[in-house]
Amino acid sequence: MPAAVLPPPLLALRQIRKRFGATIALDGVDLTLRAGEVVALMGANGAGKSTLVKIIAGASQADDGELRLAGDPIRFDSPRAALNAGIATVHQQTSQLGVPGLSVAENLLLGRLCSAHAAAWLAPATIRQQAATIAAAIAPDLPLDADFADLTPAQRQLLALARALHESARLIIFDEPTASLSPRESARLFAVIDHLKQAGIAILYVSHRLADLRRIADRAVVLRNGRVAGEFAAPLDLDAAVRAMVGGALPVRHAAARPPTQQPRLELQQVQLLPDSTPFNLCLHAGEVVAITGNLGAGKSRLLQVLFGLRPLPAGRLLLDGVHWQPRSVAEAIDAGIFMAGEDRWRSSFLPVDSLGARLSDLIALPHLRRLFPDGWVKQQQLDDTARSWIQRLGIRCQGPHDTPDQLSGGNQQKIVLARWQSAPAKVLLLDEPFQGVDVGARHDLIASIRSNPDTAVLIATSDLEEALEVADRVLIMGQHTLYDPGQGRDADSLLGQLESLEQFAGALPDHPPLSTTLPMEVTA
Amino acid sequence: MTSRLFTAALPQPTRAPAPLNLETVRRYALFIVLAGLIIGFSWLQPAFSQPANLLSILQSTAVDALLGLAVTIALIAGGFDLSIGATAATALIASSYAMVVWQWGTAPTLLFGLGTGVAIGLFNALLVVRLRIPDLLATLGTMFLLGGLQLIPTGGQSISSGMLLSNGSTATGSFSAAFLALGRARLAGVPLPVILVGVLAIVAWVLMERTRWGRVFYATGGNEEAARLSGAPTARYRVTAYVLSGVFAALGGVIIAARVGRGDVSGGSSLLLDSVGATLIGFAVLNARRPNVLGTIVGAVFVGVLLNGLTMLNVPFYTQDFVKGFVLVAALALTFGLGRARR
């Protein structure tokens, strides 16, 4: 069939460019989305996926390039404009999908209630009735009277989808939709997506999960360093797609886990993260890097927080260098040489830029002030010298130790966080999502630094399997607040093989217990 | 912001020299205007620059500056304290009552007055830190509570020697000379309150700007989560800040009682507005954009100079609040409105 017969694609992007300061996020990206097609958008962290999605959804504007909607040039100045044009987004953070405090029915009608032409007075019964009509299309089992805040992530997604369909969406963007779902909920979501596809809706599916992509994608577009590194049609050659994603060469695997002849640094014995979760054991050796992956809410962060003294340990024993140890506070953990770099560096590590102590040298020293200056007097010169040496060591691009982090790129910001916790001798270093918003180059620097210390045991929580495989000696999987060892045997396989075996292992883990009696995802596809 | 990011990514970053530009002008704007005011007032009214008048400016500024420090300390640790003025007024009544009605000595009276501040600080901390009531609402509540509380012992009348008590008898006590000296004595010609506030300001400045405890106060106020993850006992720091704030405010009230020699009942709302004003004007000093001790002192002196000068020029006193408000808004505009160029 000649190409001329085809109708224009629903959405076509031509040579989209976007830069943030010196960082080129998108460098001439082309993308075509057709009605009734599921296109997977793949790429490592920092490849430009989220920037591209934001431009399509109107949350951000391209510096250069062209968007065509059904053949006509268009420009979205706001998410509302994109929504009016029929482009809806299902965010990864399901809390952004609705308004807590309002009922499900009110959330379903939110677009209408917020519009300038809304009736001034709406009877609750009317709202409920209209909401039921909207929900019936895709999620007839949604509890209309429940508060949005009480919904499960899967229910929130369904709510967002029902609303999007009602507002006649033609393109739905899914951003890592299965990250907070159990395998069974994921399977139901895929059924819904099939349903949407048959209804002629275009779907842009952003995900790392190869199993997801194999299951639903008609086509995959791979981004790398802000460019399209490859396009693959079904049946997907995932091996080639992953190669395109990481840039031809697969990441260098590290030497197999060090011989366990050393004394264990930190041992977890029969640890339970929740009073009713399954106990598990874990042993970390000095110089070893262990990564834990798993869904949102699987308990990765909770484990790190327990070890850092932020939460009490419901049950089990911790041995630090063979001695029983129980942190009661963060200060105790830090004194014992157990450090944690929290998730989301602006929330967990930095200060508002106008505050005293917001400069790089101050931020690096913040947790160590008590040991550095026991008599209380802060010697700024000493802080600046330390900062300078770390700026050089980690190759942090900045003007000097008196910069504030907002002047740095994401990767350099993360290097400041790492410098903070490496600037004092650590026995155990806990890193929660250390590669968020970090470009590939900076990630290599961070990994080199993380792996450089033979005296520190490192435990990393990350939701990204590739990152986990790249940084760690061992990768463990967390589900339902307990830890599983997928076993080794990666030496023989390709990276893809490892990824898939890990995913399969994770998929076979026990499902969520029923969170609600009205799980709504039974859709007649 | 963009231009800074570009510079930051240059292969060989160089620190730009600091020329005398708009940035520098903004940094020292308040000092420049203050110098202009002093020169202008001296020129128009030669009596303005007499040492006696300058000292009287400082004397009238001392309590506002002290209460400004109280606001500043609470704000540094992340809590607005609206009960400052009421705390001072309560300490004023408490110390007067102890002296005149209970006939306590100077030292116990002083301790009782300051103790009132500690108790109020702890009460605020209980509401904000423990019960997690938003700081503005909690201290607003405390403000009303104290405004009413101080009326109860005397049935709303001012406290002075020979006042009629509710049981029909007369108060026989009087303010001791040592107590009154706290507000009226001079050391080498300088009023004692000025010296006292000066010393406290220096101590507070050193604590906040030069010690690790100051860093933790600021970190707690700026991002409590980050401070907590750095091992800081943030709740303890916030409680300490409210207690320090209460003590500073109470000392302000005691100084007023000693200066006036009478326990006047007041809600302390003008004290609150003046001290908050000094603190917020202080944001503009050296372009700090944060609560800071030096800025608060400069802010209080700035307002004091302006009001004194205008009074000497026979500007009616009822315009004072308008002038204060104008200075405050201008300083805030300087800090926040025009400051966007920096980033």
Side-chain angles (χ1 to χ4, degrees):
Chain A
M1 184 163 64
V5 184
L6 285 172
L10 178 66
L11 187 72
L13 282 70
R14 292 278 169 270
Q15 290 300 302
I16 296 292
R17 288 172 206 280
K18 178 81 182 175
R19 59 192 296 163
F20 299 103
T23 314
I24 298 173
L26 294 176
D27 190 12
V29 171
D30 291 349
L31 181 68
T32 309
L33 301 169
R34 295 184 179 281
E37 185 186 38
V38 179
V39 176
L41 186 61
M42 300 170 67
N45 264 344
K49 296 191 304 281
S50 48
T51 310
L52 187 64
V53 164
K54 277 184 191 158
I55 288 174
I56 297 175
S60 175
Q61 283 73 43
D63 296 337
D64 197 13
E66 187 188 45
L67 267 78
R68 279 177 181 271
L69 186 70
D72 302 322
I74 192 162
R75 186 179 166 82
F76 303 132
D77 294 323
S78 69
R80 187 72 240 173
L83 211 53
N84 289 342
I87 298 177
T89 308
V90 177
H91 297 281
Q92 178 179 9
Q93 295 292 332
T94 56
S95 57
Q96 293 175 5
L97 296 176
V99 182
L102 296 186
S103 71
V104 168
E106 286 162 331
N107 268 291
L108 279 167
L109 285 171
L110 202 59
R112 186 181 304 174
L113 293 176
C114 292
S115 98
H117 310 294
W121 193 79
L122 271 173
T126 320
I127 291 183
R128 207 177 179 292
Q129 190 192 343
Q130 291 182 355
T133 322
I134 295 168
I138 196 163
D141 297 334
L142 270 185
L144 292 178
D145 299 318
D147 189 323
F148 174 79
D150 298 333
L151 294 187
T152 66
Q155 288 174 317
R156 292 175 183 186
Q157 287 179 347
L158 273 186
L159 190 159
L161 282 176
R163 201 166 76 202
L165 287 182
H166 172 64
E167 290 171 4
S168 48
R170 289 188 282 170
L171 165 64
I172 299 181
I173 303 169
F174 287 90
D175 187 5
E176 299 276 1
T178 54
S180 46
L181 301 187
S182 73
R184 203 174 57 194
E185 289 168 335
S186 300
R188 288 179 190 149
L189 179 70
F190 296 151
V192 175
I193 290 178
D194 283 340
H195 183 62
L196 297 175
K197 189 174 140 180
Q198 277 157 26
I201 288 168
I203 289 170
L204 184 63
Y205 192 95
V206 183
S207 180
H208 285 296
R209 298 196 183 190
L210 303 172
D212 289 13
L213 304 181
R214 201 192 280 288
R215 161 76 177 75
I216 58 160
D218 298 319
R219 197 150 61 83
V221 174
V222 180
L223 286 186
R224 187 162 59 84
N225 295 338
R227 296 200 176 130
V228 175
E231 243 185 286
F232 303 89
L236 287 184
D237 181 353
L238 282 176
D239 203 8
V242 171
R243 271 175 209 285
M245 201 160 83
V246 297
L250 295 175
V252 182
R253 292 299 308 144
H254 304 289
R258 285 145 227 228
T261 50
Q262 288 162 306
Q263 176 79 11
R265 174 54 35 97
L266 183 65
E267 274 181 279
L268 286 68
Q269 297 179 343
Q270 294 298 302
V271 161
Q272 282 173 270
L273 292 181
L274 295 177
D276 55 352
S277 65
T278 318
F280 62 89
N281 297 321
L282 173 64
C283 185
L284 300 172
H285 299 266
E288 185 183 34
V289 179
V290 175
I292 299 178
T293 81
N295 288 337
L296 281 178
K300 307 186 296 285
S301 297
R302 185 180 280 263
L303 171 61
L304 301 197
Q305 287 163 359
V306 163
L307 297 178
F308 194 48
L310 275 166
R311 290 172 180 274
L313 178 63
R317 248 158 69 90
L318 304 178
L319 297 179
L320 182 63
D321 287 329
V323 182
H324 180 246
W325 184 72
Q326 178 72 59
R328 277 166 306 182
S329 70
V330 172
E332 254 185 45
I334 293 178
D335 287 344
I338 298 196
F339 298 164
M340 184 182 93
E343 190 182 6
D344 183 354
R345 51 192 166 260
W346 276 101
R347 199 173 53 72
S348 70
S349 305
F350 296 160
L351 301 184
V353 292
D354 287 323
S355 177
L356 181 75
R359 301 176 302 186
L360 303 186
S361 52
D362 307 323
L363 289 171
I364 289 174
L366 185 60
H368 313 303
L369 290 173
R370 192 152 48 93
R371 258 147 309 157
L372 290 172
F373 310 114
D375 59 356
W377 301 101
V378 172
K379 297 182 189 67
Q380 191 64 41
Q381 189 62 43
Q382 186 184 336
L383 298 187
D384 292 351
D385 291 343
T386 309
R388 260 183 222 107
S389 80
W390 280 99
I391 286 170
Q392 192 164 29
R393 198 154 149 190
L394 293 177
I396 299 168
R397 285 180 153 199
C398 61
Q399 295 185 55
H402 288 185
D403 277 6
T404 45
D406 60 319
Q407 298 166 316
L408 272 57
S409 71
N412 285 310
Q413 290 175 5
Q414 193 63 41
K415 287 180 184 177
I416 293 293
V417 175
L418 189 63
R420 163 187 285 185
W421 296 111
Q422 290 197 320
S423 67
K427 282 186 176 167
V428 180
L429 185 57
L430 310 165
L431 305 172
D432 198 352
E433 299 288 352
F435 307 115
Q436 263 176 356
V438 170
D439 60 277
V440 181
R443 188 163 93 204
H444 288 316
D445 294 348
L446 287 167
I447 289 176
S449 188
I450 288 169
R451 298 191 57 84
S452 66
N453 195 332
D455 295 325
T456 308
V458 184
L459 185 62
I460 298 176
T462 170
S463 50
D464 189 318
L465 277 175
E466 290 119 44
E467 285 173 4
L469 283 167
E470 196 179 345
V471 67
D473 298 309
R474 281 194 285 155
V475 177
L476 305 174
I477 294 181
M478 190 150 231
Q480 288 298 300
H481 292 85
T482 190
L483 208 51
Y484 300 91
D485 188 350
Q488 304 307 312
R490 61 170 121 72
D491 311 73
D493 291 325
S494 67
L495 178 75
L496 182 74
Q498 296 159 27
L499 282 175
E500 284 201 300
S501 74
L502 285 176
E503 278 186 353
Q504 273 167 16
F505 187 89
L509 292 182
D511 209 343
H512 284 303
L515 289 163
S516 148
T517 47
T518 50
L519 269 179
M521 297 199 73
E522 303 301 341
V523 169
T524 44
Chain B
M1 174 169 179
T2 317
S3 63
R4 277 305 275 266
L5 277 177
F6 271 113
T7 336
L10 285 177
Q12 243 119 37
T14 47
R15 188 162 274 277
L20 186 74
N21 53 15
L22 202 74
E23 188 61 33
T24 322
V25 172
R26 189 188 3 254
R27 223 175 132 72
Y28 298 104
L30 227 60
F31 290 106
I32 296 169
V33 178
L34 184 59
L37 282 178
I38 292 175
I39 294 170
F41 286 138
S42 310
W43 184 59
L44 291 169
Q45 176 54 270
F48 176 83
S49 53
Q50 293 299 311
N53 185 53
L54 294 182
L55 281 177
S56 92
I57 294 178
L58 291 183
Q59 163 111 16
S60 66
T61 307
V63 170
D64 285 345
L66 189 57
L67 265 59
L69 288 181
V71 174
T72 306
I73 291 170
L75 209 52
I76 286 175
F80 217 111
D81 190 347
L82 286 179
S83 68
I84 289 292
T87 306
T90 305
L92 189 162
I93 291 293
S95 54
S96 304
Y97 200 85
M99 205 135 234
V100 174
V101 180
W102 294 337
Q103 302 177 39
W104 285 11
T106 307
T109 300
L110 218 57
L111 285 177
F112 181 60
L114 297 183
T116 318
V118 174
I120 296 170
L122 285 174
F123 180 70
N124 277 331
L126 170 78
L127 298 184
V128 177
V129 181
R130 181 59 71 82
L131 302 183
R132 296 170 191 275
I133 302 172
D135 51 350
L136 280 171
L137 306 183
T139 54
L140 185 72
T142 309
M143 183 180 112
F144 280 119
L145 211 57
L146 294 175
L149 181 69
Q150 55 178 308
L151 301 179
I152 295 175
T154 63
Q157 46 172 335
S158 295
I159 301 173
S160 55
S161 290
M163 68 179 283
L164 202 64
L165 295 177
S166 52
N167 60 7
S169 64
T170 322
T172 48
S174 65
F175 288 97
S176 73
F179 183 81
L180 294 175
L182 190 65
R184 300 174 177 176
R186 286 170 180 259
L187 231 69
V190 183
L192 190 57
V194 174
I195 295 174
L196 210 56
V197 173
V199 169
L200 284 175
I202 291 170
V203 170
W205 182 84
V206 168
L207 171 71
M208 289 302 174
E209 304 281 331
R210 285 290 178 266
T211 69
R212 62 180 164 89
W213 299 290
R215 297 296 170 106
V216 179
F217 273 117
Y218 270 107
T220 303
N223 183 349
E224 189 178 0
E225 174 83 351
R228 201 164 60 97
L229 292 176
S230 295
T234 54
R236 217 177 298 161
Y237 273 85
R238 292 173 67 196
V239 172
T240 308
Y242 272 116
V243 170
L244 281 178
S245 160
V247 171
F248 275 47
L251 180 61
V254 171
I255 289 177
I256 296 175
R259 192 169 66 203
V260 179
R262 206 177 56 226
D264 282 330
V265 173
S266 83
S269 56
S270 73
L271 288 173
L272 171 69
L273 293 181
D274 288 356
S275 53
V276 169
T279 302
L280 294 182
I281 292 169
F283 276 45
V285 172
L286 299 181
N287 201 16
R289 298 147 175 278
R290 58 171 177 257
N292 70 101
V293 171
L294 174 69
T296 300
I297 299 297
V298 172
V301 169
F302 188 93
V303 172
V305 165
L306 192 60
L307 293 185
N308 179 287
L310 292 178
T311 309
M312 290 195 106
L313 296 179
N314 293 322
V315 174
F317 75 93
Y318 52 77
T319 56
Q320 286 195 354
D321 278 353
F322 176 78
V323 171
K324 287 186 223 169
F326 179 80
V327 172
L328 176 56
V329 170
L332 289 176
L334 186 73
T335 309
F336 294 104
L338 308 173
R340 291 288 159 244
R342 187 176 146 202
R343 293 178 204 288

